[in-house]
Amino acid sequence: MTIKLPEKIEKEVKKYFEDEKIPEKERKQIEEKVIKLYKEYKYSPEEPVGVITAQSLSEPATQLTMRTYHFAGTAGIQVTLGLPRMIEIFDARKSPTTPSMMIYILQEFQDIEKVKKIAEQIKEVKVKDVVKTTTVDMTDLWVKCKPDMSKLKRYGIEMKTLKKKLKVRDGLVDVDEEENVIIVKLKKKDIAGLYKLKYNFLETHIAGIKGITQVIVLKEGDEWVINTLGSNLKKVFNVEGVDTTKTFSNDIFEIYSVLGIEAARNSIINEARYTMEEQGLGVDVRYVMILADLMTFEGDIRAIGRYGISGQKSSILVRASFEETKKHFIAASISGESDGLRGTVENIMMNQVAPIGTGSFELIGRIPEKKKK
Amino acid sequence: MNLEILKHQLVPKHEILSSKEKREVLKKFNIEKEKLPRISVSDSVVKVIGAKPGDLIRITRKSPTSGKAIYYRFVVEG
């Protein structure tokens, strides 16, 4: 059987031929040798790659930092890294502790002023960000705010539209355009609610995208990018000037819901690799790929662990050997489950040959018939 | 915006296979379709390309190790 080389190796071989100006005669020989080596380096059938993956990933993981450091005075956004981030990825947490986005900008908008404008559009603006002074009147029960007009102008907010946008629980908002003040009256006559009203009012969202608390404009190579703290891909994709083909988030579940399962798989690989490499640990991508394939096998993201893949295995003995031994045995004996002893772990427990490697086959010899005399 | 997600860097190429191709793939790997990796009908990409439960999707991934890798997913409800 002829073996076809993977695209990447084939390209590399071709490039080598061109660069070194190898004569036509020798090319065939070299190609055959490459194919031979490729065959040798392939995993043989029934090799327990899962076990090898587990070891190759967990040994370097022991070297990861237990806690993340905070660097004072550095520009950029502090994202969780090291072991906590690794656990986050493989446990399939619904949202990361520090969600962050990397926003790429289209070629036409590659100008510092334009990029800054996009960044301002994206950043969440609350009432407290634009307010100069607030006064609370205890007798008439209202809160008065004086907005900073220059800030309002910078965020592109007009006084006219403010009245419609501002809605506070238990409060009536009134905007005085002539004197540029906002007055919020309390609906119920209740002094205790007044400070709560003030707090709620100041936390009200007026512009930008909810949840994005920090934006930083950075230069990556020779293009401007925006790094954010807080993530909302769907809304960012609708902002003019954002490159929707490259912008990504570190929230794997968000990527799954916006871009689908295959994108989530790629994102798991990228995030896990980035976390490892950031700590100076080299892990072969193939292992991360196996893990990502396993996590996305069912069409959604499953965690590795008790509530994910390990807890959903079909064999009782495997589940019991992982965690919560008693629980699994009791549940299995009540419902009368049976174990087919088809996996590796079960057979090792039973002191039998496990179906891996050469153990996967049974050889049946043909006894030569006796010659008739 | 819906069509734009297909152009995203993280999204590989998805194709719906015809019933003839589907049979060929299942025969090649000697596998029942229920044992293949799954993809949900509510997946964003599946919605855009309009696949239905029971379809087989061929995914052409860009692989860092081999350049190009082909993967199959079976569309399921959910």
Side-chain angles (χ1 to χ4, degrees), chain A residues 6-8 234 237-238 244-248 255-263 265-267 270 273 285-286 289 293 296-299, chain B residues 1 4-12 14 35-40 42-45 59 61-68 71 73 76:
Chain A
E7 207 175 68
K8 197 183 168 194
K234 225 176 210 164
F237 278 175
N238 289 330
T244 50
T245 62
K246 279 159 94 186
T247 299
F248 67 92
I255 290 191
Y256 169 54
S257 71
V258 179
L259 299 170
I261 191 72
E262 279 294 316
R265 186 197 92 108
N266 281 332
S267 170
N270 292 346
R273 246 181 122 187
V285 233
R286 278 160 259 242
M289 275 157 72
D293 272 338
T296 58
F297 187 88
E298 299 282 344
Chain B
M1 151 106 216
E4 254 162 40
I5 65 165
L6 296 182
K7 289 185 206 146
H8 197 280
Q9 249 184 0
L10 291 171
V11 181
H14 290 59
K35 285 184 180 164
L36 283 168
R38 275 150 241 174
I39 191 163
S40 151
S42 54
D43 193 275
S44 328
V45 178
I59 294 153
R61 291 170 173 170
K62 262 183 256 155
S63 157
T65 51
S66 66
K68 200 173 95 182
Y71 201 71
R73 274 182 194 275
V76 288

Side-chain angles (χ1 to χ4, degrees), chain A residues 5-6 40 51 74 83 88 130 134 139 162 186 203-204 235 252 267 274 283 338 341 359 368:
Chain A
L5 284 174
E40 275 173 27
V51 179
T74 42
L83 194 65
E88 231 168 63
V130 290
T134 38
T139 48
L162 262 185
L186 199 62
E203 290 292 322
T204 310
K235 290 240 171 95
I252 293 160
S267 170
Y274 171 72
V283 175
S338 64
L341 296 184

Side-chain angles (χ1 to χ4, degrees), chain A residues 154-184:
Chain A
R154 214 177 84 201
Y155 292 121
I157 308 161
E158 280 177 45
M159 284 300 273
K160 284 178 207 161
T161 55
L162 262 185
K163 197 182 172 181
K164 267 187 193 170
K165 271 187 183 169
L166 289 173
K167 267 188 194 115
V168 198
R169 195 145 49 103
D170 300 329
L172 287 168
V173 183
D174 196 23
V175 181
D176 191 340
E177 279 176 55
E178 276 162 36
E179 285 185 44
N180 284 332
V181 280
I182 308 165
I183 298 163
V184 190

Side-chain angles (χ1 to χ4, degrees), chain A residues 3 7 12-13 31 52 66 102 105 115 129 134 148 160 184 209 224 232 246 248 284 287 324 327 330 347 353 366:
Chain A
I3 283 185
E7 207 175 68
E12 270 171 37
V13 171
E31 223 160 66
I52 299 168
M66 299 288 173
M102 191 60 111
I105 308 295
V115 176
D129 298 324
T134 38
D148 190 331
K160 284 178 207 161
V184 190
I209 296 167
W224 293 101
N232 194 335
K246 279 159 94 186
F248 67 92
D284 200 293
Y287 300 126
E324 301 175 306
K327 188 186 121 186
I330 292 168
N347 280 295
V353 176
R366 188 174 290 170

Side-chain angles (χ1 to χ4, degrees), chain A residues 41-87:
Chain A
Y41 278 93
K42 261 171 110 172
Y43 272 128
S44 21
E46 301 289 338
E47 185 96 38
V49 280
V51 179
I52 299 168
T53 303
Q55 294 200 339
S56 314
L57 277 172
S58 28
E59 194 278 328
T62 60
Q63 319 277 321
L64 288 168
T65 40
M66 299 288 173
R67 266 172 213 284
T68 41
Y69 304 107
H70 292 275
F71 301 101
T74 42
I77 274 148
Q78 203 60 56
V79 194
T80 320
L81 284 171
L83 194 65
R85 177 69 185 139
M86 223 50 184
I87 293 171

Side-chain angles (χ1 to χ4, degrees), chain A residues 93-195:
Chain A
R93 298 264 162 86
K94 278 270 144 56
S95 56
T97 32
T98 46
S100 161
M101 273 188 298
M102 191 60 111
I103 300 167
Y104 288 84
I105 308 295
L106 287 175
Q107 210 55 51
E108 305 99 84
F109 290 82
Q110 282 293 344
D111 174 56
I112 180 68
E113 287 308 316
K114 281 180 189 165
V115 176
K116 266 187 185 165
K117 214 167 184 184
I118 294 174
E120 261 164 27
Q121 257 181 314
I122 289 167
K123 193 184 183 243
E124 179 178 26
V125 181
K126 286 177 178 170
V127 174
K128 67 175 177 191
D129 298 324
V130 290
V131 153
K132 231 195 265 173
T133 51
T134 38
T135 7
V136 179
D137 190 310
M138 296 294 236
T139 48
D140 291 335
L141 299 175
W142 48 249
V143 181
K144 195 161 87 177
C145 283
K146 230 183 154 65
D148 190 331
M149 292 317 281
S150 65
K151 272 186 184 164
L152 277 182
K153 208 176 170 190
R154 214 177 84 201
Y155 292 121
I157 308 161
E158 280 177 45
M159 284 300 273
K160 284 178 207 161
T161 55
L162 262 185
K163 197 182 172 181
K164 267 187 193 170
K165 271 187 183 169
L166 289 173
K167 267 188 194 115
V168 198
R169 195 145 49 103
D170 300 329
L172 287 168
V173 183
D174 196 23
V175 181
D176 191 340
E177 279 176 55
E178 276 162 36
E179 285 185 44
N180 284 332
V181 280
I182 308 165
I183 298 163
V184 190
K185 277 183 189 141
L186 199 62
K187 271 181 192 164
K188 280 180 275 175
K189 295 273 177 229
D190 171 25
I191 268 213
L194 194 62
Y195 274 92

